[in-house]
Amino acid sequence: MNVADMTLRPATLDDAAFVADVLTEAHPDDPEDPQLMRHWWTIQDPEATVERFVVSVVGADAGFVSRSHESWAKMPERFGRIGVCLRPAAWSAARLDALVAAMEDRQRADGARKVTMWAWDDDSQHIGMLKQRGYREERRQRFWELDLVAGRERITKMATESRERMKKEGVRILTLADDDDPQKFERLKRMSDEAEADVPTTVPHVPLEMDEFMKWLQSPGLRPDRIWIAREGDDIVGISQLAYPPVRGIVVTDWTGMARKARGRGIARALKCETLMQAIALGVDRVRTDNDSTNAPILHINETMGYRRRHDGIQYLKEL
Ligand SMILES: CC(C)(COP(=O)(O)OP(=O)(O)OC[C@H]1O[C@@H](n2cnc3c(N)ncnc32)[C@H](O)[C@@H]1OP(=O)(O)O)[C@@H](O)C(=O)NCCC(=O)NCCS
């Protein structure tokens, strides 16, 4: 397919590393891991629509563009997503605009009613293009970083207090590797789906199928002995895990979630403390996380754990 002076070819899984390179080149402070990107591409609902293209200019690969949406049966609100990034050397406002226009056309033809796109709050060129195309700010994602070297003592103290509290609460904190319940994955998924449904979002969340959930846990950034869970009686009531990028990037919270009935008792904090203590023991010097800017409990936890804000991610929305 040709768009302006660019050629688009469908991306295969082998192009994921290139896309991670392009994103890293464009945003060096937020490096993307090629293996995590490839793995992420394998996790999609079997009924979802996902199109990814490698963009080339004069025969040389210069970026990517993508569009996706859940099946309309599972998401009747009909939101679509668009992603785009060009290498700095190939970047121009006109090219970016043409690529987004092409994806909007494909989303519209496919029945989408609204599309969302993300931008860093300090990427004025990208934001300028979005505004010109009629996008408006919908939501912010707060990005944070925690210095594990400077914060070591404070985090260790918090972890000790959390362990005491969990003992008193009768809650066991352990890794998934140490849990011998044959039904642990089903229990974990039920709990995780419940928590995910409570993350503030504009684009409705469609729960993963069990197969996709299992694939997620097999990420090259995760390991069963680094996935921390909370048990109360027969139930798994919480989870927190850091993803360790195998090739490049910063260790980052992959997911933290709690069963509704067990919230407000310090369990999420206790789980997060264990992930941090483990990272410190492994020699990690800093970790990152990001949360929706209206998610009060997790913002409060992260702030009081000593995370410092970085730039925000902004979600833009356009009615088609
Ligand atoms: C976010 C979540 C994991 C917190 O779990 P939790 O076990 O209730 O958390 P904790 O009890 O350890 O800590 C909650 C803290 O937030 C505070 N808090 C709760 N609601 C709050 C609110 N509306 N405003 C400000 N602070 C709030 C609590 O007082 C507590 O603070 P404290 O430790 O200083 O007393 C849980 O609410 C959840 O699963 N939400 C849905 C999934 C989600 O949003 N995950 C994280 C983002 S990806």
Side-chain angles (χ1 to χ4, degrees), residues 105-318:
D105 287 347
R106 292 176 83 80
Q107 290 286 42
R108 202 179 287 111
D110 209 1
R113 294 207 187 104
K114 299 169 186 175
V115 281
T116 64
M117 292 189 68
W118 285 90
W120 292 114
D121 66 354
D122 44 9
D123 190 347
S124 54
Q125 289 179 315
H126 195 85
I127 291 174
M129 175 277 295
L130 291 173
K131 285 186 173 164
Q132 259 188 350
R133 291 204 60 79
Y135 287 78
R136 60 165 174 79
E137 178 172 334
E138 167 67 13
R139 205 166 253 292
R140 281 188 179 238
Q141 185 81 355
R142 192 169 293 181
F143 284 71
W144 312 78
E145 185 169 291
L146 177 61
D147 183 335
L148 294 181
V149 178
R152 184 182 176 137
E153 237 173 81
R154 189 173 34 78
I155 295 160
T156 306
K157 184 166 172 282
M158 192 183 289
T160 308
E161 286 164 4
S162 279
R163 284 171 188 161
E164 284 301 313
R165 186 168 177 194
M166 291 304 102
K167 240 186 248 165
K168 281 194 200 122
E169 293 275 351
V171 173
R172 275 202 308 145
I173 305 286
L174 69 166
T175 68
L176 196 57
D178 285 339
D179 191 296
D180 51 16
D181 177 0
Q183 288 177 356
K184 62 185 173 187
F185 293 110
E186 287 76 12
R187 289 187 203 279
L188 196 56
K189 181 170 189 305
R190 267 199 303 277
M191 188 280 298
S192 190
D193 284 349
E194 180 178 295
E196 186 96 53
D198 292 339
V199 178
T201 183
T202 295
V203 180
H205 183 73
V206 174
L208 293 175
E209 303 279 339
M210 190 65 194
D211 282 356
E212 309 304 314
F213 180 77
M214 293 303 289
K215 247 192 250 171
W216 171 22
L217 297 185
Q218 283 144 24
S219 160
L222 300 174
R223 291 175 24 164
D225 60 350
R226 294 182 189 168
I227 295 174
W228 289 86
I229 58 169
R231 276 221 171 247
E232 190 163 40
D234 282 343
D235 284 344
I236 295 180
V237 294
I239 183 169
S240 187
Q241 62 203 22
L242 292 170
Y244 289 68
V247 178
R248 67 167 171 245
I250 316 291
V251 175
V252 63
T253 306
D254 188 64
W255 172 226
T256 300
M258 286 290 305
R260 286 180 191 137
K261 64 179 180 184
R263 290 180 195 166
R265 293 161 55 200
I267 304 177
R269 187 185 293 276
L271 286 164
K272 281 177 69 85
C273 279
E274 294 306 335
T275 67
L276 297 181
M277 292 305 288
Q278 188 171 40
I280 291 171
L282 290 163
V284 174
D285 63 349
R286 59 189 166 138
V287 290
R288 288 181 173 175
T289 194
D290 55 277
N291 322 108
D292 182 84
S293 61
T294 63
N295 193 342
I298 198 72
L299 294 176
H300 172 78
I301 293 175
N302 288 334
E303 193 159 13
T304 53
M305 289 187 107
Y307 281 85
R308 295 280 166 261
R309 280 179 72 173
R310 304 178 59 240
H311 49 185
D312 280 356
I314 309 179
Q315 186 177 37
Y316 283 87
L317 183 127
K318 177 176 174 172

